[in-house]
C-alpha cells in the first residue's frame, strides 16, 4: 500500500522518479504525485488515477527538471481519492514536501494542536498533519525538524521529505513501513519502498530499520535515530534482476507469474532435499532443531492467499508431522487474547513480509513466548527480520496484485517444513524419499497444466457473464476452493464463494439456480466418491459443474459439463496442481471482462495498515 520513490543526484530526477513509481504501482494506484526542487523552488503536482496521468500532467511543465525530488503512489486510507488527498503533502510556511506510507495514529490530536497554532489544512489525510508538524518545528535544519516531529507521532511511517530552503537535502525515515536507500555510483541516491524502483540504478542498498532517520546530500549520507544518535547501517546487495520485474512478452504480470510457477517450485526446492539421506534440509531452521522436535502446537497465521496456503500447511503438519496445528487470520489472533502454551511455534506466512496484521500477530506471539518462524518471500522484509528463524520462498518478486506464484511457494515451503519436522518425529527415510520424489515431479506436472491454458480459457469464457460462482473442494482442496474463489473475486469482480463441498448442503445450496457455475476440485483421492455425490446435488438443481479432475478419469465426464485435467499426484501436494487451472480461470475471466488484471480496483499488493 502506497509506494515512495525519492532521488538526489546529478541527473534530472523526474524520469527516474516516474520510472520507479511505475514499478511500485502495484502497491497502490488511486492517485500519484510528485515534488521537485529546481533552482531553489518547490513544484508539486498531484493527480488521481495512475502514474501515467501524473506523467502527462507535468509533461513540458516548468519547474520539474531539478535533480532532487520525491513521488508517491497511493492506496487511500484516510480521506477519499482526490487530488487534494494525494501525496506529496506540503506545510504552509517553509516549502516542505513529504510523501508517506503508513498511518499516523495520533493525527487528530496533532491536527487540533497545529490548527490552534494557526496552520490551515487542505486535505483530510493523516499525512498532511506530519508535513505541517515538521514545518512547525522547522528552524533551518530539516533533519532536526523531522526527528523532532517523529518523536511526537505514533503509528507507522516510511517518509521522504524535502524543503525549498535546503535544496540539496533529502531526509527519509522509517517505522513499520519499508524503506530502502539505494546508493548509486556517482553521488546519487534512490530511496524507495522496495528494490524494484532502485535496481535499475544500483544493487547496493540499506534497509532502514525502525526509527532510523537518514539525511542524504550529494556528498554522502548520515543515519541517526529520532533522538539524533548516529548509527552505522549495513550496506547490502539487492538480490533482484531487472528481468524479474519486467513483463518479458506477457500481457500481464499475473499471467507471467502463473507461467513462472514451475520455475518457482524448482527454485524453492533447490538444495533443500537430501535424496541420499531421505531428509529435508532447511538451513534457516537448523538452530531450532530441538524446538521443532519437542513442539506441541503450531499456529499458522496470515491473511488472504497466504492464509489459504497456511490452511494446507495445517493439514500437512497434522497429517505428516502429527502436531496439533491451527490456522488463524492474523488480524483476529492479534486481538483475541490467544492462549500460547509452552512449546508453541507461531508461523507467520506472508509474501511481502510487510502485512501489518501479520506483523502485529507476530509481535503478540513473541510477547507471549512462542518461537516465531516466518515463511516469507521478500528478503529482508519486516516479518523476515522480526521472526526468530524462517524459510524464504525464493520465488522472486511477485508484482501482480493477485498472488499466484507466492501461493505455490508458500505451499512448497510448508510441505518442506512439515516433512522436516515429520522426519524428526514419525516419518521414515523411505516415506520422506517418496514424498520428496513427488515434490520433484511437481514442476513438470504444472507445465502440463499450463499447456492446457487455451482450453481453460475457452471453458471460462462460457461462464464469464455469470455473476455468482461456487468453488467446492474437500480435505486438502478445501483451501484450494477458497483460493479459487478469492482469485475470481479479486480480479474479475465476480461474486464467488469457496467452501468445503460437504458444507454446501447446509445453506449455500439455496444459491444454486439454472446455470450457476460450480467449480469442483474432484481429483482422485480419499474423498472422490463423496465429491461425486456433491456434484450430483448441484446438477440436480440446474447448476453447471466445472471439474478439476485427475488425468485418465473418464467417469467424471458423465457428471461434469466441463473438465480441466491435472496430472496424478499424492493428496497432500494436490493443491499445488489443482490451484493452477483456477488461477488461469480467474485471469481469463478478468481479461474477458476487460479489467486491469494487475491492478484490480480497491486492492493493494501489500496492506501495511491494520
Ligand atoms: C493483500 C493482498 C493479497 C495477499 C494478502 C496477504 O490483501 O491483496 O493478495 O494475499 O494481502 O499478503 P502477504 O504479503 O502477507 O502474503
Amino acid at each position: 500500500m502506497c509506494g515512495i520513490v525519492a532521488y538526489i543526484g546529478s541527473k534530472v530526477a523526474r524520469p527516474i522518479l516516474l520510472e520507479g513509481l511505475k514499478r511500485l504501482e502495484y502497491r497502490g494506484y488511486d492517485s500519484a504525485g510528485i515534488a521537485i526542487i529546481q533552482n531553489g523552488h518547490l513544484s508539486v503536482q498531484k493527480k488521481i488515477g495512475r502514474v501515467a496521468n501524473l506523467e502527462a500532467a507535468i509533461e513540458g511543465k516548468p519547474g520539474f527538471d531539478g535533480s532532487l525530488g520525491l513521488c508517491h503512489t497511493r492506496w487511500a486510507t484516510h480521506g477519499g481519492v482526490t487530488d487534494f488527498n494525494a501525496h506529496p503533502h506540503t506545510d504552509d510556511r517553509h516549502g516542505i514536501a513529504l510523501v508517506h506510507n503508513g498511518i499516523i495514529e495520533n493525527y487528530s490530536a496533532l491536527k487540533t494542536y497545529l490548527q490552534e497554532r494557526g496552520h490551515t489544512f487542505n486535505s483530510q489525510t493523516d499525512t498532511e498533519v506530519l508535513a505541517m508538524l515538521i514545518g512547525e518545528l522547522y528552524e533551518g535544519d530539516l533533519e532536526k525538524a523531522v526527528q523532532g516531529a517523529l518523536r511526537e507521532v505514533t503509528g507507522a511511517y516510511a517518509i521522504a521529505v524535502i524543503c525549498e530552503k535546503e535544496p540539496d537535502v533529502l531526509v527519509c525515515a522509517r517505522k513499520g513501513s519499508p524503506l530502502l536507500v539505494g546508493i548509486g555510483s556517482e553521488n546519487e541516491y534512490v530511496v524507495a519502498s522496495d528494490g524494484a524502483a532502485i535496481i535499475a540504478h544500483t544493487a547496493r542498498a540499506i534497509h532502514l530499520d525502525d526509527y532510523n532517520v537518514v539525511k542524504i546530500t550529494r556528498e554522502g549520507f548520515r543515519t541517526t535515530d529520532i533522538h539524533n544518535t548516529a548509527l552505522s547501517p549495513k550496506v547490502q546487495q539487492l538480490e533482484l534482476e531487472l528481468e524479474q520485474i519486467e513483463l518479458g512478452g506477457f500481457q500481464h504480470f499475473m499471467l507471467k507469474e502463473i507461467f513462472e510457477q514451475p520455475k518457482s517450485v524448482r527454485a524453492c526446492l533447490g538444495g533443500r532435499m537430501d535424496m541420499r539421506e531421505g531428509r529435508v534440509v532447511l538451513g534457516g531452521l537448523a538452530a531450532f532443531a530441538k524446538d521443532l522436535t519437542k513442539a506441541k502446537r503450531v499456529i499458522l497465521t496470515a491473511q488472504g492467499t497466504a492464509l489459504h496456503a497456511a490452511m494446507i500447511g495445517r493439514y500437512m503438519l497434522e497429517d505428516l508431522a502429527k502436531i496439533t496445528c491451527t490456522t488463524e487470520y492474523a488480524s483476529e489472533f492479534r486481538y483475541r487474547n490467544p492462549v500460547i502454551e509452552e512449546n508453541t511455534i507461531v508461523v507467520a506466512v506472508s509474501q511481502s513480509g510487510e502485512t501489518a496484521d501479520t506483523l502485529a500477530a507476530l509481535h503478540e506471539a513473541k510477547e507471549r513466548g512462542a518461537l516465531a518462524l516466518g515463511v516469507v518471500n521478500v528478503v529482508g522484509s519486516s516479518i523476515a527480520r522480526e521472526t526468530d528463524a524462517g524459510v524464504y520462498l525464493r520465488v522472486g518478486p511477485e508484482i501482480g496484485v493477485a498472488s499466484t506464484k507466492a501461493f505455490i511457494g508458500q505451499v512448497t515451503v510448508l510441505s518442506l517444513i512439515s516433512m522436516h519436522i515429520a522426519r524428526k518425529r514419525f516419518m521414515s527415510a523411505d516415506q520422506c524419499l517418496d514424498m520428496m520424489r513427488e515434490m520433484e515431479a511437481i514442476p513438470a506436472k504444472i507445465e502440463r497444466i499450463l499447456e492446457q491454458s487455451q482450453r481453460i480459457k475457452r471453458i471460462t469464457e462460457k461462464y464469464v457473464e455469470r455473476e455468482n460462482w461456487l468453488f467446492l473442494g474437500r480435505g486438502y482442496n478445501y483451501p484450494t476452493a477458497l483460493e479459487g474463489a478469492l482469485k475470481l473475486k479479486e480480479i474479475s469482480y465476480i461474486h464467488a464463494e469457496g467452501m468445503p463441498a460437504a458444507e454446501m448442503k447446509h445453506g449455500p445450496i439455496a444459491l444454486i439456480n439454472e446455470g450457476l457455475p460450480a467449480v469442483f476440485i474432484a481429483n482422485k483421492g480419499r474423498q472422490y466418491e463423496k465429491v461425486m455425490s456433491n456434484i450430483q446435488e448441484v446438477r440436480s438443481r440446474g447448476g453447471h459443474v466445472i471439474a478439476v479432475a485427475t488425468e485418465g478419469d473418464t467417469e467424471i465426464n458423465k457428471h461434469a459439463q466441463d473438465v480441466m485435467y491435472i496430472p496424478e499426484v499424492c493428496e497432500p501436494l494436490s493443491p499445488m496442481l489443482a490451484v493452477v487451472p483456477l488461477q488461469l480461470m480467474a485471469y481469463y475471466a478478468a481479461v474477458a471482462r476487460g479489467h486491469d488484471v494487475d491492478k484490480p480496483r480497491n486492492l493493494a499488493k501489500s496492506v501495511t495498515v491494520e
Side-chain angles (χ1 to χ4, degrees):
M1 89 167 7
C2 301
I4 291 175
V5 191
Y7 175 84
I8 182 164
S10 52
K11 299 182 189 134
V12 175
R14 174 168 59 171
I16 297 170
L17 292 175
L18 291 174
E19 181 60 32
L21 207 55
K22 284 181 189 160
R23 296 210 187 276
L24 297 190
E25 245 187 324
Y26 71 90
R27 299 176 69 90
Y29 32 82
D30 293 336
S31 57
I34 189 166
I36 302 264
I37 294 182
Q38 186 182 353
N39 301 329
H41 176 73
L42 178 76
S43 298
V44 178
Q45 179 74 57
K46 316 200 259 191
K47 258 306 188 232
I48 58 164
R50 303 290 156 81
V51 175
N53 291 2
L54 175 69
E55 192 170 20
I58 57 170
E59 181 71 48
K61 208 171 168 179
F64 288 93
D65 291 321
S67 54
L68 168 63
L70 42 79
C71 59
H72 185 268
T73 178
R74 177 171 187 243
W75 185 77
T77 55
H78 290 60
V81 180
T82 64
D83 286 350
F84 273 137
N85 287 337
H87 299 212
H89 287 285
T90 49
D91 82 321
D92 52 358
R93 291 183 187 165
H94 306 289
I96 290 170
L98 171 144
V99 286
H100 169 220
N101 172 26
I103 288 204
I104 304 302
E105 285 166 2
N106 59 339
Y107 80 101
S108 182
L110 289 171
K111 192 168 183 173
T112 311
Y113 162 78
L114 289 163
Q115 279 165 334
E116 280 164 12
R117 299 188 63 92
H119 295 273
T120 15
F121 289 80
N122 296 308
S123 78
Q124 292 100 45
T125 65
D126 52 326
T127 302
E128 190 182 15
V129 174
L130 185 54
M132 291 286 186
L133 183 60
I134 294 170
E136 170 68 23
L137 300 176
Y138 186 77
E139 289 174 348
D141 185 339
L142 186 62
E143 181 195 33
K144 222 169 164 180
V146 169
Q147 289 168 337
L150 295 180
R151 289 198 292 271
E152 301 302 323
V153 303
T154 55
Y157 52 79
I159 55 167
V161 197
I162 53 177
C163 174
E164 213 171 51
K165 293 180 177 163
E166 292 176 61
D168 302 304
V169 174
L170 168 66
V171 178
C172 303
R174 157 200 164 125
K175 192 220 147 195
S177 303
L179 202 62
L180 279 76
V181 180
I183 305 168
S185 50
E186 295 160 37
N187 296 334
E188 66 171 4
Y189 298 85
V190 185
V191 179
S193 305
D194 89 34
I198 294 177
I199 195 69
H201 309 284
T202 177
R204 294 179 67 232
I206 292 166
H207 286 85
L208 291 186
D209 275 325
D210 281 354
Y211 301 109
N212 283 184
V213 179
V214 58
K215 174 185 178 176
I216 310 172
T217 65
R218 290 179 187 82
E219 283 69 51
F221 67 95
R222 78 174 207 123
T223 312
T224 59
D225 65 11
I226 56 175
H227 302 286
N228 201 31
T229 309
L231 303 165
S232 319
K234 222 169 67 197
V235 178
Q236 293 173 329
Q237 205 66 15
L238 291 177
E239 285 175 28
L240 195 64
E241 308 277 330
L242 206 50
E243 67 175 40
Q244 289 179 304
I245 52 172
E246 284 176 346
L247 278 167
F250 283 89
Q251 207 188 338
H252 296 102
F253 280 107
M254 181 182 178
L255 191 63
K256 179 185 180 221
E257 287 157 7
I258 291 173
F259 273 80
E260 267 174 16
Q261 290 180 120
K263 193 170 102 192
S264 309
V265 178
R266 285 188 188 106
C268 187
L269 293 178
R272 287 172 168 170
M273 299 196 297
D274 180 345
M275 303 305 267
R276 277 183 34 183
E277 299 288 328
R279 64 190 182 108
V280 168
V281 185
L282 297 172
L285 303 185
F288 294 90
K290 275 207 187 101
D291 301 81
L292 300 180
T293 317
K294 63 176 197 222
K296 289 235 162 46
R297 186 171 170 222
V298 176
I299 301 169
L300 297 160
T301 188
Q303 298 290 143
T305 289
L307 186 75
H308 299 154
M311 290 167 81
I312 297 164
R314 173 201 173 189
Y315 284 23
M316 270 191 275
L317 276 160
E318 295 205 327
D319 203 359
L320 308 178
K322 316 276 182 254
I323 302 185
T324 308
C325 184
T326 48
T327 50
E328 189 156 350
Y329 284 110
S331 52
E332 292 300 314
F333 177 82
R334 163 79 173 82
Y335 288 107
R336 71 167 173 81
N337 204 6
V339 176
I340 307 257
E341 293 141 338
E342 232 185 303
N343 298 326
T344 296
I345 301 178
V346 171
V347 185
V349 185
S350 173
Q351 187 287 126
S352 62
E354 301 293 348
T355 300
D357 289 317
T358 312
L359 196 55
L362 182 70
H363 291 155
E364 192 61 30
K366 283 177 77 171
E367 182 70 28
R368 290 172 187 238
L371 173 68
L373 303 183
V375 172
V376 171
N377 192 33
V378 179
V379 176
S381 56
S382 302
I383 295 176
R385 288 192 290 165
E386 293 190 30
T387 37
D388 297 307
V391 183
Y392 280 120
L393 306 186
R394 297 192 195 146
V395 301
E398 188 180 67
I399 296 177
V401 168
S403 184
T404 52
K405 67 176 182 175
F407 174 82
I408 290 271
Q410 285 153 354
V411 178
T412 307
V413 166
L414 291 166
S415 315
L416 290 171
I417 293 177
S418 304
M419 288 153 66
H420 182 67
I421 301 179
R423 194 63 188 88
K424 292 181 184 299
R425 296 156 74 105
F426 308 101
M427 195 182 239
S428 70
D430 282 345
Q431 285 170 322
C432 191
L433 255 179
D434 286 348
M435 185 96 182
M436 290 196 296
R437 288 198 189 103
E438 288 266 7
M439 294 282 285
E440 264 189 334
I442 292 286
K445 290 181 180 178
I446 297 177
E447 273 155 13
R448 290 234 295 274
I449 303 169
L450 295 172
E451 282 162 16
Q452 299 172 53
S453 60
Q454 287 312 306
R455 180 183 150 74
I456 294 169
K457 179 170 183 262
R458 283 195 297 277
I459 294 174
T460 308
E461 284 169 356
K462 286 183 3 192
Y463 301 100
V464 80
E465 301 301 333
R466 302 294 305 206
E467 292 299 337
N468 290 297
W469 292 47
L470 293 181
F471 286 77
L472 302 130
R474 281 173 174 258
Y476 277 103
N477 284 305
Y478 152 49
T480 316
L482 294 179
E483 179 58 10
L486 178 63
K487 287 285 90 78
L488 194 68
K489 276 185 271 202
E490 281 180 317
I491 54 170
S492 57
Y493 319 145
I494 292 170
H495 173 247
E497 282 197 43
M499 69 194 79
E503 175 64 11
M504 179 189 65
K505 58 185 173 296
H506 299 291
I509 198 162
L511 295 171
I512 297 172
N513 57 11
E514 197 57 42
L516 175 129
V519 181
F520 274 89
I521 298 138
N523 57 312
K524 285 281 185 191
R526 272 181 298 182
Q527 308 210 44
Y528 180 76
E529 300 302 333
K530 297 249 185 308
V531 173
M532 288 304 127
S533 309
N534 300 136
I535 287 180
Q536 290 316 320
E537 290 154 14
V538 171
R539 285 295 299 269
S540 55
R541 287 164 180 83
H544 275 220
V545 172
I546 306 157
V548 175
T550 307
E551 279 173 5
D553 180 359
T554 46
E555 183 66 21
I556 190 82
N557 290 303
K558 296 182 198 150
H559 306 286
Q561 273 96 339
D562 288 287
V563 182
M564 304 181 291
Y565 284 104
I566 59 170
E568 205 170 336
V569 62
C570 70
E571 244 177 296
L573 302 184
S574 60
M576 294 174 73
L577 302 188
V579 77
V580 179
L582 309 189
Q583 295 169 337
L584 286 167
M585 284 194 102
Y587 173 77
Y588 290 124
V591 171
R593 287 182 154 226
H595 298 317
D596 189 344
V597 175
D598 286 333
K599 299 184 187 71
R601 71 180 178 208
N602 304 339
L603 295 182
K605 179 82 187 141
S606 150
V607 181
T608 53
V609 288
E610 284 181 59

